Amino acid sequence: TWGHFLSVYFFSPMQRVHKALVANGRRWSSTHPVEKLQQLAASSGIDISGGTVRRTSSRFCLGVEHGDYNGTELFGVGTDRFIWTAFKPNNTNKLRLFSGNFTDDGVVEFGFGEVPGAQDPATADTWARFPFGCCHVLQNEGFPLTKGFDAVVYGNIPGGGMSRSASLAINFILTLFDVNGLTPRSEFDVVHLSQKVETEYIGSPCGILDQTMIYFAQEGMGTHFNPKTNAIQYVPLGGTRSERLRLVGLDTGTVRHGLEKSTYAIRRAECDELVSLVNTEGPVAIETLADVRDYDTYCKILAAHGTNHPHLCRRLTYIYHAQQRFYQMMDAWRAGDVETVGQVFRADGLGLRDEYQISGPELESMCDVVRTVPGVLGERMLGGGDKGASGCLMWEDAEDAVRSAVETGYRRSHPDYADKCAVHVCKSVDGVAVFDNLL
């Protein structure tokens, strides 16, 4: 049923990439993705003929949003908004790269010994900080990079909430591995390497939710990650009505300029501060906020620190209740109780808004608009917060009404983003796919 529920592909490689560039509601291009890659290569003078295409997905988190750096279990799916890279070894030790999303940057060319240092202000606002960061991290981790490549890259992942940066980092790390004949050292190596691109090179204090949900995503399955054991479990949606459920990304048209420049960094520091405070002053010893699992311990921490640090305790309140809801959601997912899954999704959204205080006005406007639509089961902000995308769970027959509500309600209340917002009805896909013999 889960395969029907998210319209899984069973086609040839060429058919599987067909229309993947097209974002429902706002079309980046009507051109076939391979043709688009070839056009970008021709316009930039990049040779990809006979090369390889690597596609990495976006992700839709069902829980616990902001739980990764707080130690909670995680659950989500890979979704069909992508980063596409067409690449070909060039028999040099240099990379020559062109982005179809940032054409004004032109061709970025550099050798492995010419990578700018970490968090260099000169690269802070360029997309090239990601390939720079991938090379920097791999070389620092002892991976020998000697073989360069030419590549064109573009994507249609919304600019906040569905993990565009993690997808790009994973794509380039795997491409560098491929061209240089390297392999990951462990099951989670690519996850941790791509995280380091953001934390060490770019300076973004991200966890591993995005990287895990993309790298391990399997078509037709939800991915359950337990950080205590590093266990990955694939969980199909049960029940007989699951084919009617849809996951929807609601792009507000706003752009969040990196987690390091957002409220995300502040919230992560606050959570670390509360953990340190509790360990120093009591009443218990914890490693992360997820260690606060029982109600008695939760109440003791609030009693000890709620008066002097109410904002920190609000962060704990969200994590504590979201963690309780997570297991309720997982049971409902397995049973096909999609109404309960939607209720948990909505309750998490209210917690993110009111307790974690990580949302933003456009994100909440989008939630308010779709919440009134019959057939929408739950809605909340997605991702790091402030700007970007919200999301909702809905029955398939609510799609027209959701699009109409966004068209009238959101665009009217936020006219500055009327030509940028979009509704993305997503499919479940593999997180990573490689296509040969297409170029």
Side-chain angles (χ1 to χ4, degrees):
T1 55
W2 166 247
H4 294 293
F5 145 54
L6 286 182
S7 304
V8 172
Y9 296 124
F10 293 100
F11 304 127
S12 69
M14 183 64 79
Q15 289 173 312
R16 288 174 65 191
V17 299
H18 186 62
K19 294 184 179 179
L21 178 61
V22 179
N24 290 325
R26 182 177 73 208
R27 294 176 179 268
W28 286 64
S29 170
S30 59
T31 306
H32 188 286
V34 173
E35 293 175 2
K36 179 66 175 179
L37 290 167
Q38 291 169 329
Q39 290 172 4
L40 291 172
S43 68
S44 60
I46 298 288
D47 179 16
I48 59 169
S49 59
T52 301
V53 176
R54 173 168 282 105
R55 186 194 76 188
T56 45
S57 75
S58 50
R59 69 96 176 105
F60 197 99
C61 174
L62 289 154
V64 172
E65 199 79 82
H66 293 268
D68 50 348
Y69 57 86
N70 282 302
T72 73
E73 295 178 40
L74 307 171
F75 189 70
V77 299
T79 44
D80 65 334
R81 299 298 179 269
F82 300 111
I83 299 293
W84 300 82
T85 299
F87 65 95
K88 179 181 177 180
N90 59 20
N91 298 316
T92 75
N93 65 350
K94 292 181 178 289
L95 303 187
R96 298 179 68 247
L97 313 171
F98 182 75
S99 169
N101 299 97
F102 300 95
T103 55
D104 289 345
D105 288 359
V107 174
V108 176
E109 182 172 351
F110 63 94
F112 293 121
E114 302 168 346
V115 176
Q119 301 177 46
D120 187 330
T123 63
D125 295 319
T126 173
W127 81 274
R129 68 190 187 276
F130 285 93
F132 287 149
C134 292
C135 294
H136 174 91
V137 167
L138 290 181
Q139 291 182 119
N140 278 2
E141 292 289 320
F143 290 98
L145 300 180
T146 59
K147 299 177 181 178
F149 58 87
D150 291 355
V152 292
V153 57
Y154 68 86
N156 64 347
I157 302 175
M162 297 180 74
S163 307
R164 180 172 61 180
S165 60
S167 185
L168 181 59
I170 290 171
N171 199 308
F172 268 95
I173 284 175
L174 291 174
T175 300
L176 285 162
F177 274 6
D178 192 346
V179 173
N180 284 274
L182 304 171
T183 57
R185 299 164 299 192
S186 67
E187 183 182 22
F188 275 84
D189 209 18
V190 173
V191 168
H192 293 301
L193 290 168
S194 56
Q195 181 196 25
K196 286 183 177 182
V197 172
E198 301 204 52
T199 58
E200 295 183 4
Y201 189 81
I202 292 172
S204 173
C206 69
I208 62 170
L209 186 158
D210 299 347
Q211 296 85 354
T212 302
M213 292 298 113
I214 291 171
Y215 184 66
F216 288 102
Q218 286 191 2
E219 187 178 89
M221 291 286 181
T223 305
H224 178 200
F225 173 59
N226 186 334
K228 296 291 187 183
T229 62
N230 270 355
I232 294 289
Q233 181 182 13
Y234 294 104
V235 186
L237 180 68
T240 59
R241 297 181 300 155
S242 56
E243 67 275 3
R244 295 179 52 215
L245 184 64
R246 297 292 181 267
L247 308 181
V248 185
L250 302 164
D251 187 353
T252 65
T254 60
V255 177
R256 190 193 63 236
H257 297 285
L259 297 181
E260 71 278 10
K261 305 169 186 176
S262 72
T263 307
Y264 180 103
I266 298 171
R267 293 294 174 267
R268 178 157 191 173
E270 289 174 343
C271 293
D272 292 343
E273 181 183 354
L274 181 57
V275 169
S276 177
L277 190 66
V278 169
N279 285 328
T280 301
E281 301 182 11
V284 295
I286 58 175
E287 293 183 3
T288 66
L289 294 187
D291 291 338
V292 183
R293 292 176 174 271
D294 65 275
Y295 186 68
D296 183 58
T297 301
Y298 167 68
C299 290
K300 286 179 179 178
I301 293 175
L302 294 191
H305 303 289
T307 300
N308 293 331
H309 305 281
H311 64 301
L312 301 184
C313 288
R314 280 196 292 272
R315 312 306 173 236
L316 172 62
T317 294
Y318 164 69
I319 292 296
Y320 173 77
H321 288 294
Q323 189 165 223
Q324 304 300 311
R325 290 189 293 262
F326 179 85
Y327 302 108
Q328 178 188 10
M329 182 272 295
M330 289 299 300
D331 288 342
W333 183 271
R334 292 185 181 95
D337 180 3
V338 290
E339 287 89 354
T340 296
V341 174
Q343 290 167 11
V344 169
F345 195 76
R346 176 171 290 162
D348 281 352
L350 298 177
L352 287 161
R353 183 192 69 187
D354 300 333
E355 297 159 357
Y356 215 67
Q357 297 177 304
I358 193 72
S359 192
E362 297 87 5
L363 297 172
E364 290 306 314
S365 288
M366 191 67 85
C367 290
D368 292 342
V369 164
V370 301
R371 188 179 292 120
T372 63
V373 176
V376 171
L377 305 175
E379 65 294 309
R380 65 165 170 82
M381 56 147 285
L382 299 175
D386 294 337
K387 305 290 184 180
S390 294
C392 75
L393 310 181
M394 71 177 189
W395 295 121
E396 64 174 341
D397 55 9
E399 179 176 343
D400 289 344
V402 165
R403 291 187 182 278
S404 177
V406 171
E407 177 73 30
T408 56
Y410 181 81
R411 285 186 167 92
R412 193 170 296 166
S413 59
H414 295 281
D416 289 346
Y417 304 112
D419 62 340
K420 301 180 180 69
C421 63
V423 175
H424 301 264
V425 180
C426 296
K427 301 177 178 70
S428 164
V429 294
D430 290 338
V432 180
V434 178
F435 305 97
D436 294 312
N437 304 316
L438 294 183
L439 297 173

